[in-house]
């Protein structure tokens, strides 16, 4: 509480890591110039954040529609140049295309679906949160750090530590020793073929990570079709479908189909009533309020 | 304010001689019975206020450190601290502000799967630690920061993280945890939170990866 | 006598943070051009004369040292902490994850025979204990971890040790994991397992550390 209140003010020395201030994606009139390889980005959210910075407005007032357009243009352009794009980017593209349609088309009022605006607000919130954490990281690393800016006694005469153990070993040492050792004894001659299928777990994980929470009835397959190569479409659909069945059984998802062979819609199970137990679990569950903030 | 000069000397000697922060309790233990350790520390802090070395409070304890404005002078011969990758720094910030937090939650915030080794490297720095397991499907390990983190970054408590109040006010720390279940503030309290569990043996059966031989 | 306060602060900070005594020449080098280093040191020495810490000259160089009359404070806890050897850490980890485990089983997992002192030394740390005897030919002793182990490593329960997914997630296990590979889910349940018999008191005599063959 005392002593270093002005810590950040005094001197902000050179960072120990590179802060990349300049946008890595120069934009002119909304036209992405593909100077930068998509590998330069740390995932679709990072790319979205870079694009939104180029809009030069407060993230709270950003045009998500415009952002979605830029992202889709970018992905299109990359796809014409490079054949492969990480699945993450494609799933995000599909979701943004879906979001765009929700924003543009009037949606018939149906039960308690969030509107396109609410979905857009939630995306904006996620971008703000990522940006906030980036800023926090810069602030943290810019503090006066012990051993770099401020120093402890160089010739300690006393090693008083409460309950100081006579023997030293850290949990990290313990774990690395164990993992290294198990790794060494592992049979490593396993050859893995390039995967042509989307594993169930992968489909589920990507969806959860990117979209965060499927708060509304969503059908991704329509949009995925645009971005996933035809030969992979079947496996993507199959994996997504069985993954969703599994999650319905666990009480995490709801599934809806209005007629036979009709489009399947899925959403996160409402966590307020019967399913409360599993939905409040934390990891995957979303907040109802978040989108309206 | 009158503080016994001998008490002052004792606390000064102990703090000067130690490279680690010392708690008020440890200092009090070495003072004559009945001495007011807090008053002694306060007076000592006052006396060093304008000196080249200052008495500061980190992680709830006390330590002498060189004055901040002299860093230009001191850092001349310091070997470059290990460079952390951008991903590692970002992950560290997320853990600090969102703790206790699971890897999946970190990934959800960054929108990208954790690169191999990032958490391992942060564990190696000694700034983060495994806290427990989240009471949620899969019961993933939760991460939090350590006392070494507070000491290194000169923080008295995790609540002193820069900009914490603003972030909280903007609702950016709530993550995906339903409001009402948690106080949306980071906590490095060693005690497990409501949503964290040590495992019980009967839970373990379904968790063991490939448990059968 | 008037000495520039800033010069005083600089010398004070340098001497405080230095890992070795500094000569007047080295200190003068860090002071602004034209500053009288000797006068600064002299003044600093005077200021610390009555304090818990003194500025002393050793082999022609300068260093801070606890005042003589307070040296009794330093004599506590002079015991040097002992680092565990790599083999000991590995053995400890295997006991933690695979307990209850016998010496032969540890050797089988490690692929090398355990050096005589390793288990004895681990017993000395108080982190492992003898649990019982395996109901098997030879009735070998089984080992497990103690509560002191959990306390030292900051674990709430032995089940909080990271599993396969967590180790992979932290980048500690890399590459392709062969099918069938698994990390056991540890249990330090004090109750003996079906395959263990209690120790008998006469066993304990020949089990003292370093006493084994």
């Amino acid at each position: 509480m005392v002593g270093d209140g002005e810590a950040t003010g005094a001197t902000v020395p050179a960072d120990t890591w590179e802060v990349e201030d300049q946008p890595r994606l120069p934009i002119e009139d909304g036209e992405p110039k593909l100077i930068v390889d998509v590998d330069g980005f740390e995932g679709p959210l990072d790319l979205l954040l870079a694009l939104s910075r180029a809009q030069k407005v407060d993230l709270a007032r950003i045009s998500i529609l415009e952002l979605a357009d830029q992202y889709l243009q970018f992905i299109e352009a990359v796809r014409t140049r490079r054949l492969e794009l990480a699945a993450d980017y494609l799933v995000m593209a599909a979701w943004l295309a879906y979001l765009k349609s929700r924003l543009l088309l009037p949606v018939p009022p149906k039960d308690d679906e969030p509107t396109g605006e609410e979905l857009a607000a939630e995306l904006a919130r996620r971008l703000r949160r990522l940006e906030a954490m980036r800023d926090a990281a810069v602030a943290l690393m810019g503090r006066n750090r012990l051993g770099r800016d401020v120093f402890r006694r160089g010739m300690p005469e006393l090693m008083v530590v409460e309950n100081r153990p006579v023997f030293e070993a850290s949990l990290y040492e313990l774990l690395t020793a164990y993992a290294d050792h198990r790794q060494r004894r592992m049979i490593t001659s396993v050859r893995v073929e390039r995967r042509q299928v989307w594993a169930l777990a992968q489909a589920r994980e990507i969806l959860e990570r990117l979209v965060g929470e499927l708060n509304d009835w969503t059908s991704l397959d329509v949009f995925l079709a645009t971005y996933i190569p035809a030969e992979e479409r079947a496996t993507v659909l199959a994996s997504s479908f069985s993954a969703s069945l599994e999650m319905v059984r666990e009480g995490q998802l709801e599934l809806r189909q209005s007629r036979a062979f009709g489009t399947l819609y899925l959403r996160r199970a409402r966590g307020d009533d019967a399913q409360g137990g599993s939905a409040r679990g934390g990891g995957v569950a979303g907040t109802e309020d978040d989108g309206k903030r | 304010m009158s503080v016994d000069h001998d008490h002052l000397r004792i606390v000064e000697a102990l703090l000067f001689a130690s490279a680690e922060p010392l708690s008020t309790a440890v200092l009090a233990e070495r003072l004559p019975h009945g001495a007011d350790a807090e008053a002694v520390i306060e007076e000592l802090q006052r006396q060093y206020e304008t000196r080249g070395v200052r008495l500061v409070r980190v992680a709830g304890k006390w330590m002498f450190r060189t004055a901040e404005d002299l860093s230009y002078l001191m850092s001349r011969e310091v070997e470059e601290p290990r460079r952390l990758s951008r991903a590692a720094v970002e992950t560290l910030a997320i853990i600090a502000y969102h703790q206790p937090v699971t890897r999946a939650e970190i990934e959800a915030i960054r929108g990208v799967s954790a690169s191999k080794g990032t958490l391992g490297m942060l564990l190696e720095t000694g700034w983060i630690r495994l806290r427990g397991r989240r009471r949620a499907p899969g019961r993933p390990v939760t991460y939090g920061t350590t006392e070494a983190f507070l000491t290194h970054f000169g923080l008295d408590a995790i609540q002193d993280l820069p900009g914490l109040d603003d972030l909280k006010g903007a609702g950016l720390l709530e993550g995906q945890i339903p409001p009402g279940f948690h106080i949306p503030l980071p906590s490095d309290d060693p005690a497990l939170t409501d949503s964290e569990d040590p495992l019980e043996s009967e839970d373990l059966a379904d968790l063991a990866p490939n448990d059968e031989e």
Side-chain angles (χ1 to χ4, degrees), chain B residues 51-130:
Chain B
R51 315 229 27 141
V53 168
R54 305 187 59 184
L55 182 55
V56 298
R57 192 178 160 107
V58 287
K61 301 177 178 182
W62 299 96
M63 80 183 292
F64 275 119
R65 263 180 12 182
T66 59
E68 281 138 14
D69 63 311
L70 297 177
S71 77
Y72 73 96
L73 182 87
M74 309 298 302
S75 42
R76 273 217 317 226
E77 278 152 30
V78 176
E79 74 284 20
E80 183 71 5
R82 190 208 325 239
R83 261 182 142 61
L84 286 181
S85 70
R86 173 192 159 103
V89 169
E90 209 168 288
T91 302
L92 177 63
I94 290 170
I95 291 172
Y97 284 81
H98 288 82
Q99 62 187 303
V101 66
T102 66
R103 184 166 66 97
E105 288 158 359
I106 297 168
E107 289 179 343
I109 292 173
R110 300 192 64 228
V112 68
S113 61
S115 86
K116 287 271 181 286
T118 300
L119 283 169
M121 189 214 259
L122 286 174
L123 281 169
E124 194 182 356
T125 61
W127 294 339
I128 70 166
R129 65 186 183 92
L130 306 166

Side-chain angles (χ1 to χ4, degrees), chain A residues 1-4 6-7 10-11 15-18 20 24 42-46 88 125-126 128-130 132-134 136-137 139-141 143-153 156-158 160-162 171-172 175 205 209-210 212-213 252 278 280-287 289-290 293, chain B residues 14 16-20 22-23 26 30 45 54 56-57 61 63-66 68 71 74-75 78 81 83-84 86-87 89-90 93-94 97-98 105 107-113 120 123-124 127 130 134-136 149 151-156 161-162 167 170-176 178-179 181:
Chain A
M1 232 143 264
V2 214
D4 60 346
E6 68 281 11
T11 46
D15 275 306
T16 42
W17 62 292
E18 325 262 335
E20 302 176 45
R24 284 156 295 167
E42 290 205 34
L45 267 195
D46 186 30
D88 289 26
R125 194 186 85 94
R126 295 195 63 196
R128 282 214 317 275
R129 186 173 62 177
L130 179 60
M133 282 302 109
R134 297 237 160 117
L140 197 59
M141 300 315 274
R143 289 183 67 83
N144 282 310
R145 287 156 57 186
L146 192 65
R148 190 190 66 163
D149 310 297
V150 290
F151 295 83
R152 62 173 96 209
R153 180 75 196 275
E157 297 170 63
L158 172 80
V160 178
V161 175
E162 286 150 282
L171 184 59
Y172 177 75
L175 297 180
E205 195 188 311
R209 187 168 67 231
L210 287 182
E213 48 281 298
Q252 298 190 48
S278 60
R280 65 169 276 196
V284 296
T287 347
D289 299 6
D290 286 351
R293 207 166 266 281
Chain B
L14 286 167
F16 225 87
S18 172
E20 298 299 325
L22 299 180
S23 68
V26 160
R30 284 155 173 85
Q45 192 175 32
R54 305 187 59 184
V56 298
R57 192 178 160 107
K61 301 177 178 182
M63 80 183 292
F64 275 119
R65 263 180 12 182
T66 59
E68 281 138 14
S71 77
M74 309 298 302
S75 42
V78 176
R83 261 182 142 61
L84 286 181
R86 173 192 159 103
V89 169
E90 209 168 288
I94 290 170
Y97 284 81
H98 288 82
E105 288 158 359
E107 289 179 343
I109 292 173
R110 300 192 64 228
V112 68
S113 61
L123 281 169
E124 194 182 356
W127 294 339
L130 306 166
R134 172 63 46 85
R135 210 177 278 176
F149 169 85
T151 306
H152 182 84
F153 290 99
L155 296 163
D156 187 26
L161 281 170
L167 290 169
L172 293 176
L173 293 186
E174 282 159 39
Q176 305 185 330
F181 286 124

